[in-house]
Amino acid sequence: MTSTPTPSPTRPPAARTHRIPAPDGVLLAADVQLPDGEGPFPTVLIRTPYGRTGHRAELAGWARHGFAAVAQDVRGRHDSDGDWCPYTAEHGDGAATARWIRRRPWSDGRIIAAGGSYAAYCALTLALDAPEDARPDAVITAVPVLGPAETAREADGCERLYDRVGWWTAHGGRRVGDSSAFDDALAADPHLLDRLPVSDLPRRLGRPLPGWAELWEAPYGRLLDRAADATVPLLAVGGTHDTFAAETERLWSRWGGPSARLLIGPWGHG
């Protein structure tokens, strides 16, 4: 970033919701929070499956520091149209959103892609996979997941079965997550995780889990391999009690951008 926005002591205007078209015409819901002032402004972009409205206080905080801030529901989640299949549409949808931002009169063209957990994956795939005109100017990731295989397995190949079944039961194939779904499934079938094959879980649950079978076949380390080709700065935030702490450190150590910073503290994934 070539200059730092000036913090404003005044309360920023209220966020407005926009419907941003994806490459195939699917409309993605995004809240846009602008600072008080004339602009144009640099922008912080957060793309999340966990509900953009949960970021409104964060957006207002960025706006008070002179940044435009955008939080978007990913495809098929909450108020965004389309079908939710984890890890499949973030590259193209994120690039379309970045281009939309850069065409706005309030944008100065600079974008920071930011997010935690799955939202960090959205930021990273935008930085590493998007064409140059859609690439962000910097990335902030907190307790990042680096892709489907990295969530499903340890680096040595050991499955993270309990954790992944919990996440996919709560979120896979759902427009809105259900935090009690895994406990309910275990109560209904205490032997849910005792049977093979792992890919048969959707049938045992009695509902579809888009992307579940592919999760266990995905190649490990794709984004880590791409990290060496990064062209933008990175701030990676991790926790010593986070499931993905090792991946966060690997991301930082392999990042090839002009700078990479690592912040580690006594935190878990939450």
Side-chain angles (χ1 to χ4, degrees), residues 45-51 55 72-77 83-94 113-126 139-149 151 164 167-168 171-172 210-211 215 223 242 244 269-270:
L45 170 62
I46 302 165
R47 304 190 63 253
T48 177
Y50 302 121
H55 290 274
Q72 183 180 69
D73 292 328
V74 300
R75 174 184 297 249
R77 292 284 279 183
D83 297 321
W84 162 239
C85 186
Y87 301 101
T88 60
E90 309 314 348
H91 165 214
D93 290 354
S117 190
Y118 188 97
Y121 170 81
C122 294
L124 288 166
T125 193
L126 184 62
V139 182
I140 301 172
T141 65
V143 292
V145 300
L146 303 184
T151 66
R164 287 301 84 195
W167 190 89
W168 285 75
H171 299 287
L215 173 69
L223 282 185
D242 177 33
F244 307 118
H269 194 71

Side-chain angles (χ1 to χ4, degrees), residues 144-183:
V145 300
L146 303 184
E150 288 76 9
T151 66
R153 301 179 186 276
E154 303 286 357
D156 62 5
C158 181
E159 290 87 353
R160 291 167 166 162
L161 182 59
Y162 187 90
D163 177 72
R164 287 301 84 195
V165 173
W167 190 89
W168 285 75
T169 304
H171 299 287
R174 298 180 187 273
R175 179 161 292 276
V176 178
D178 180 355
S179 60
S180 66
F182 187 35
D183 289 339

Side-chain angles (χ1 to χ4, degrees), residues 159 161 165 195-202 204 212 216:
E159 290 87 353
L161 182 59
V165 173
R195 306 185 191 98
L196 295 174
V198 170
S199 59
D200 196 39
L201 180 68
R204 298 201 297 272
W212 173 257
W216 304 100

Side-chain angles (χ1 to χ4, degrees), residues 28-61:
L28 307 173
D31 286 351
V32 177
Q33 176 76 73
L34 298 180
D36 184 28
E38 293 298 321
F41 312 104
T43 303
V44 175
L45 170 62
I46 302 165
R47 304 190 63 253
T48 177
Y50 302 121
R52 74 189 192 285
T53 59
H55 290 274
R56 283 179 176 167
E58 183 180 355
L59 300 189

